[in-house]
């Protein structure tokens, strides 16, 4: 039998976009908009922005959704590809890793690129939490609790965040509220500077009052103060620390990106937003799922031979402020370190579960273009049922060696 060899290829993030994020529920901007149509908007926008990419060159469309039913079901990667007008030869699939769905869509297809089996892919995620609340229709096996495989609090994300506060007594409610105010302020500053507009695709919306156009995120609360947050209820525990103000809300939205082999990107004249260096996922105690980014980051740093000091930009998903602060505290990073979430985070803009990983990546790639002095950045997030995921990226604009 003849032997075959495969040389690992460099995977690049070409471009990414997202819809504006909306508030879940009957009054949200996407109350009457289908989840798959949100995905279609992002795919079509990627093709519009990258006209040199022949759609027939796309080898795969991987779209994540946490609740895969209704307009988020039926193998949404394939259905959204058809709906977006891609050639029938372009395959697609659906994927689920809860909050890290889009992140996993990226790492899974990137692995195929690295192995030489894909040249160009589209990866992303969607969550319409207004139509499909987290856990809708789920039937957790009773053995999880009967056999004491997990603590009962592990099945409610807000309870796991309260548990994380217990593990880190130095992370007080006042500290998380201060972080939340900073997230709102950084987001507002980035929006006013025009940094976010380039990442968004407008979406036509329909409601009982007629047609509209979503051009901005709906969740942000500019002008939020510590006094405002101090008055909010703690729904998960009496006299607790988690509130609607220091956690991401329930949101609707979609994201998508183009990944390619660097050789293919250069062949087709596609931009190179950033290069993938490595990634890792790691399981943790589900009762403190928010700690997941810590071991996932340690794992990928060890694999790549880098240290936390090599990372010049951090995009950390803000499911809960305590989760971000636990990460920063573990690695000895100050709460207000300017390298962290420069444009704010999910506490401000929202967190439509499976879509958020590509939001982090899209923003990091834009920040790389602004910071040629930075060589490495990372995107990381905690994941329900006790996991964390981290991807390290390299800045193609790095000028440190010049």
């Amino acid at each position: 039998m003849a032997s075959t060899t495969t040389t690992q290829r460099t995977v690049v993030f070409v471009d990414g976009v997202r819809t504006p994020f909306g508030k879940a529920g009957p009054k949200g901007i996407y109350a009457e908009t289908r989840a798959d149509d949100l995905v279609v908007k992002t795919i079509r926008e990627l093709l519009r922005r990258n006209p040199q990419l022949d759609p027939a060159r796309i080898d795969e469309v991987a779209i994540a959704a946490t609740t895969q039913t209704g307009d988020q079901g039926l193998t949404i990667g394939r259905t959204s590809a058809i709906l977006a007008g891609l050639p029938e030869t372009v395959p697609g699939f659906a994927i689920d890793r809860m909050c890290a769905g889009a992140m996993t869509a990226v790492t899974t297809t990137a692995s195929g690129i690295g192995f030489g089996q894909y040249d160009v892919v589209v990866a992303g995620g969607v969550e319409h939490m207004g139509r499909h609340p987290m856990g809708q229709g789920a039937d957790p096996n009773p053995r999880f609790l009967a056999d004491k495989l997990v603590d009962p609090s592990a099945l409610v994300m807000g309870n796991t965040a309260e548990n994380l506060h217990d593990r880190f007594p130095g992370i007080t409610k006042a500290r998380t509220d201060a972080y939340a105010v900073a997230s709102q302020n950084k987001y507002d500053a980035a929006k006013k500077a025009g940094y976010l507009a380039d990442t968004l695709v407008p979406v036509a919306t329909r409601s009982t009052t007629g047609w509209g156009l979503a051009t901005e995120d709906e969740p942000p609360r500019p002008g939020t103060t510590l006094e405002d947050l101090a008055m909010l209820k703690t729904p998960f525990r009496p006299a607790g620390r988690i509130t609607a103000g220091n956690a991401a809300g329930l949101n609707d939205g979609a994201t998508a990106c183009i990944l390619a082999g660097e050789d293919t990107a250069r062949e087709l004249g596609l931009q190179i937003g950033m290069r993938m260096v490595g990634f890792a996922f790691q399981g943790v105690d589900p009762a403190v799922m928010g700690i997941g980014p810590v071991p996932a980051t340690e794992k990928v740093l060890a694999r790549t031979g880098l240290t936390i000091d090599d990372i010049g930009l951090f995009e950390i998903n803000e499911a809960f402020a305590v989760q971000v602060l636990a990460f920063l505290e573990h690695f000895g990073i100050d709460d207000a370190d300017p390298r962290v979430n420069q444009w704010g985070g999910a506490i401000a803009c929202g967190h439509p579960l499976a879509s958020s990983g590509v939001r982090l990546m899209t923003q990091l790639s834009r920040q790389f273009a602004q910071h040629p002095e930075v060589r490495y950045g990372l995107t990381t997030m905690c994941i329900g049922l006790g996991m964390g995921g981290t991807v390290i990226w390299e800045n193609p604009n790095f000028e440190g060696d010049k």
Side-chain angles (χ1 to χ4, degrees), residues 136-162:
Q136 181 188 52
D139 181 19
N141 194 301
R143 291 199 304 108
F144 278 120
L145 301 183
D147 294 355
K148 298 183 178 180
L149 300 176
V150 300
D151 186 88
S153 62
L155 302 180
V156 179
M157 297 302 100
N159 288 341
T160 69
E162 289 284 8

Side-chain angles (χ1 to χ4, degrees), residues 253-274:
T255 62
C257 69
I258 297 172
L259 305 171
E262 184 165 2
D263 53 342
T264 301
R266 295 191 184 282
E267 171 199 342
L268 299 179
L270 298 171
Q271 68 179 356
I272 296 173
M274 52 188 183

